């Protein structure tokens, strides 16, 4: 989410194939599978069908759904 | 010569060994990258393809405006092995099967959100900022072809981008500014002038507190350009041509069009430049032309501006940039028209 060197924007792509491993590493897979993870903005449960973005802040993962309002909030 | 022959013979005799050593060295130093590549081939190609699409659209946009309005976008593939600290503060976009347009729209949206007119945002009207941001994203995605039918990829990407800009598209003030800016975009150089000046005001005002006066003036400035872009209608409504100079507290811009230079020569235009500087008090002058005038401006006119900057104005003025680009097809019925915009600016004004 940072703008490095004043010229570059760094973004990361999380593919469906890597999602399970990524969530397991964060210790969030079981919660995700049980739909216990909610969108940071609208508080709706985040699932495979509506996951939009993930942001890591201070080692803590924040999940956002793909609704336009929530995508705006993550900016 | 003897040494070279010896070297050539040495490589000829020893090349299998040298080659093997090089390959071994490459494998040892880059084995992680090689393993990653082979275990993530589809993702690597997806990432590279996406970087190419984004890079092409952003560099086209930057070239047309004459400044790096779009930051460079670097993408990284998230894997379970990637250390968490490498992802700290990075936005991670979830990629679903076959949702390339959505990912592309997300990248454009995020890049604009983080990097678009970053230093100017606080000094210009918020609706104008949103409008300029939306139009920049839209033109990047559609590739300037505002009036043409889009292919499926661009149409879907635009649909996703519109969803992300839902708030701006629902605001009446922003919508009205978008309409004005779309007209500037179809005229090519006017939108370049707008973005150049919005970018410059951020640089000039750096360290100063944002003010409502500056934000208000940014709105008057787009009105000034809008009047120029619809000068025939303006003339019909008011019986006069729109002013070609805008001198406020934060924007001091003069615009000069080169037309019919073949028949009347450039003398009148030279006089107009001096008037703008000496009498009107502008500090940025945009000299514009298209078609056959392009060479005349990039040659004779730029040469003359450089000459007067040195001889008459003690190098206080300089030709900051000459932007050449094509007017979009939507504006011209036939082929694209090569256009030019030369920016002559006072050194104190950036």
């Amino acid at each position: 989410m940072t703008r490095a060197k004043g010229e570059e924007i760094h973004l990361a792509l999380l593919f469906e194939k890597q999602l399970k491993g990524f969530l397991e590493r964060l210790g969030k897979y079981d919660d995700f599978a049980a739909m216990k993870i909610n969108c940071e903005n609208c508080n709706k449960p985040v699932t495979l069908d509506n996951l939009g973005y993930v942001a890591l802040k201070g080692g803590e993962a924040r999940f956002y759904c793909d609704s336009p309002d929530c995508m705006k909030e993550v900016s | 010569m003897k040494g070279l022959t010896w070297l050539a013979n040495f490589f000829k005799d020893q090349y299998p060994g040298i080659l093997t050593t090089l390959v071994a060295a490459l494998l040892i130093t880059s084995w992680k990258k090689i393993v990653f590549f082979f275990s993530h081939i589809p993702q690597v190609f997806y990432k590279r393809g996406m970087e190419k699409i984004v890079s092409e659209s952003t560099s086209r946009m930057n070239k047309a405006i004459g400044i790096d309005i779009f930051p460079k976008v670097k993408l990284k593939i998230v894997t379970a092995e990637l250390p968490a600290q490498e992802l700290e503060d990075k936005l991670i976009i979830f990629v679903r099967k076959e949702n390339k347009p959505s990912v592309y729209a997300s990248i454009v949206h995020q890049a604009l959100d983080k990097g678009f007119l970053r230093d100017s945002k606080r000094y210009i009207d918020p609706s104008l900022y949103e409008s300029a941001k939306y139009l920049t994203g839209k033109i990047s995605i559609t590739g300037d072809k505002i009036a043409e039918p889009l292919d499926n990829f661009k149409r879907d990407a635009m649909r996703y981008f519109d969803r992300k800009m839902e708030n701006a598209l629902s605001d009446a003030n922003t919508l009205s500014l978008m309409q004005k800016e779309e007209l500037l975009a179809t005229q090519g150089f006017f939108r370049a002038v707008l973005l150049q000046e919005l970018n410059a005001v951020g640089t000039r005002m750096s360290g100063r507190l944002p003010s409502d006066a500056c934000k208000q003036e940014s709105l008057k400035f787009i009105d000034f350009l809008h009047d120029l872009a619809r000068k025939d209608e303006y003339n019909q409504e008011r019986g006069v041509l729109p002013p070609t100079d805008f001198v406020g507290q934060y924007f001091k811009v003069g615009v000069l069009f080169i037309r019919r230079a073949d028949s009347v020569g450039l003398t009148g235009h030279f006089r107009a430049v001096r008037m703008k500087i000496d009498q009107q008090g502008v500090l940025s002058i945009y000299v514009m032309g298209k078609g056959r005038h392009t060479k005349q401006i990039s040659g004779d006119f730029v040469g003359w501006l450089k000459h007067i900057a040195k001889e008459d104005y003690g190098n206080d003025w300089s030709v900051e940039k000459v932007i050449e680009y094509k007017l979009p097809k939507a504006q011209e019925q036939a082929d694209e028209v090569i256009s030019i915009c030369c920016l002559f600016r006072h050194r104190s004004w950036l």
Side-chain angles (χ1 to χ4, degrees):
Chain A
M1 252 200 275
T2 49
R3 191 181 175 207
K5 298 174 192 169
E7 299 266 333
E8 291 176 356
I9 300 286
H10 292 259
L11 300 169
L13 301 178
L14 173 61
F15 291 86
E16 232 175 308
K17 196 181 166 190
Q18 267 85 39
L19 181 64
K20 189 180 175 206
F22 174 71
L23 290 171
E24 279 173 344
R25 193 187 164 97
L26 293 173
K28 299 277 184 187
Y29 180 72
D30 290 340
D31 287 346
F32 186 84
M35 292 172 66
K36 285 181 182 171
I37 289 178
N38 294 340
C39 171
E40 284 287 325
N41 187 49
C42 69
N43 217 29
K44 279 182 191 164
V46 176
T47 65
L48 193 62
D49 293 327
N50 72 347
L51 175 60
Y53 298 114
V54 183
L56 289 183
K57 285 268 182 191
E60 193 65 31
R62 296 174 184 183
F63 295 80
Y64 294 86
C65 73
D66 60 359
S67 93
D69 281 346
C70 303
M71 287 186 164
K72 180 74 190 156
E73 279 309 306
V74 78
S75 301
Chain B
M1 197 64 192
K2 210 173 175 182
L4 280 176
T5 313
W6 179 85
L7 205 61
N9 285 336
F10 176 77
F11 276 107
K12 197 178 162 188
D13 296 341
Q14 302 294 324
Y15 82 92
I18 292 170
L19 198 65
T20 311
T21 311
L22 284 174
V23 171
L26 191 71
L27 285 172
I28 291 165
T29 53
S30 312
W31 69 272
K32 277 187 180 174
K33 282 184 183 173
I34 293 165
V35 169
F36 180 85
F37 178 80
F38 282 107
S39 56
H40 297 86
I41 286 175
Q43 290 90 346
V44 169
F45 277 99
Y46 184 101
K47 178 184 96 95
R48 287 189 183 167
M50 192 55 76
E51 279 177 335
K52 190 168 176 253
I53 297 169
V54 173
S55 161
E56 279 172 0
S57 56
T58 55
S59 61
R60 188 178 54 236
M61 169 63 69
N62 289 346
K63 201 177 164 196
I65 303 299
I67 42 175
D68 285 349
I69 205 90
F70 237 117
K72 275 185 187 167
V73 176
K74 295 274 180 189
L75 300 175
K76 189 183 259 292
I77 297 172
V78 177
T79 61
E81 298 81 35
L82 201 65
Q85 57 266 33
E86 281 195 33
L87 294 170
E88 185 70 25
D89 269 352
K90 275 194 186 68
L91 187 71
I92 302 165
I93 300 171
F94 182 56
V95 183
R96 255 181 231 95
K97 274 177 198 164
E98 295 169 6
N99 68 344
K100 216 168 182 175
S102 163
V103 174
Y104 174 50
S106 288
I107 292 169
V108 170
H109 180 251
Q110 285 299 321
L112 287 170
D113 221 69
K114 304 295 163 226
F116 181 69
L117 292 176
R118 196 177 170 91
D119 297 323
S120 308
K121 187 178 178 180
R122 65 191 83 98
Y123 300 110
I124 61 180
D125 179 80
S127 298
L128 177 57
Y129 177 81
E130 286 300 311
S131 155
K133 191 170 87 173
Y134 174 76
L135 258 291
T136 300
K138 177 177 172 176
I139 296 170
S140 299
I141 292 169
T142 58
D144 272 357
K145 293 172 177 61
I146 292 171
E148 286 188 9
L150 299 174
D151 60 41
N152 286 347
F153 177 80
K154 286 178 180 172
R155 197 184 57 226
D156 286 347
M158 202 55 234
R159 196 161 52 88
Y160 287 113
F161 184 70
D162 280 350
R163 284 187 197 173
K164 291 172 203 299
M165 296 293 292
E166 196 79 62
N167 293 349
L169 288 164
S170 311
D171 179 72
N173 286 338
T174 314
L175 266 181
S176 155
L177 288 162
M178 283 175 190
Q179 285 164 355
K180 287 179 184 175
E181 221 186 302
E182 270 206 336
L183 184 70
L184 303 190
T186 59
Q187 300 285 330
F189 13 64
F190 292 114
R191 189 158 186 276
V193 175
L194 175 72
L195 293 180
Q196 285 276 350
E197 287 301 309
L198 293 182
N199 182 58
V201 81
T203 311
R204 276 199 296 274
M205 295 289 287
S206 177
R208 294 194 217 170
L209 291 176
S211 68
D212 282 345
C214 188
K215 290 176 186 175
Q216 283 300 315
E217 201 171 294
S218 67
L219 289 175
K220 288 179 186 165
F221 182 64
I222 189 178
D223 283 340
F224 158 76
L225 292 172
H226 185 243
D227 288 341
L228 283 171
R230 53 183 281 279
K231 74 174 175 47
D232 292 337
E233 282 176 46
Y234 184 97
N235 193 11
Q236 277 177 2
E237 286 164 15
R238 307 190 191 193
V240 286
L241 288 168
T244 56
D245 299 318
F246 182 95
V247 182
Q249 198 182 339
Y250 306 95
F251 297 86
K252 297 175 190 292
V253 176
V255 173
L256 184 67
F257 302 98
I258 306 299
R259 292 195 189 92
R260 303 193 308 276
D262 291 356
S263 55
V264 297
L266 287 171
T267 318
H269 297 305
F270 292 165
R271 203 179 307 126
V273 169
R274 287 191 189 279
M275 269 185 66
K276 285 178 189 297
I277 296 173
D278 300 333
Q279 294 174 28
Q280 301 297 331
V282 305
L283 293 171
S284 306
I285 299 176
Y286 290 85
V287 182
M288 302 164 175
K290 60 183 177 182
R292 62 198 163 95
H293 301 310
T294 308
K295 280 186 182 168
Q296 203 163 22
I297 294 173
S298 62
D300 295 347
F301 214 110
V302 168
W304 179 78
L305 289 172
K306 285 179 179 169
H307 173 75
I308 61 159
K310 189 179 171 190
E311 298 298 322
D312 300 346
Y313 295 103
N315 281 326
D316 286 341
W317 286 75
S318 68
V319 175
E320 193 176 296
K321 61 189 74 172
V322 178
I323 313 159
E324 285 194 45
Y325 50 91
K326 292 170 184 173
L327 276 180
K329 283 179 181 173
Q331 168 68 9
E332 303 293 333
Q333 292 303 310
D335 290 335
E336 290 169 325
V337 173
I338 304 291
S339 310
I340 196 163
C341 179
C342 165
L343 171 52
F344 191 51
R345 204 196 296 268
H346 195 274
R347 289 187 193 276
S348 69
W349 201 236
L350 193 63

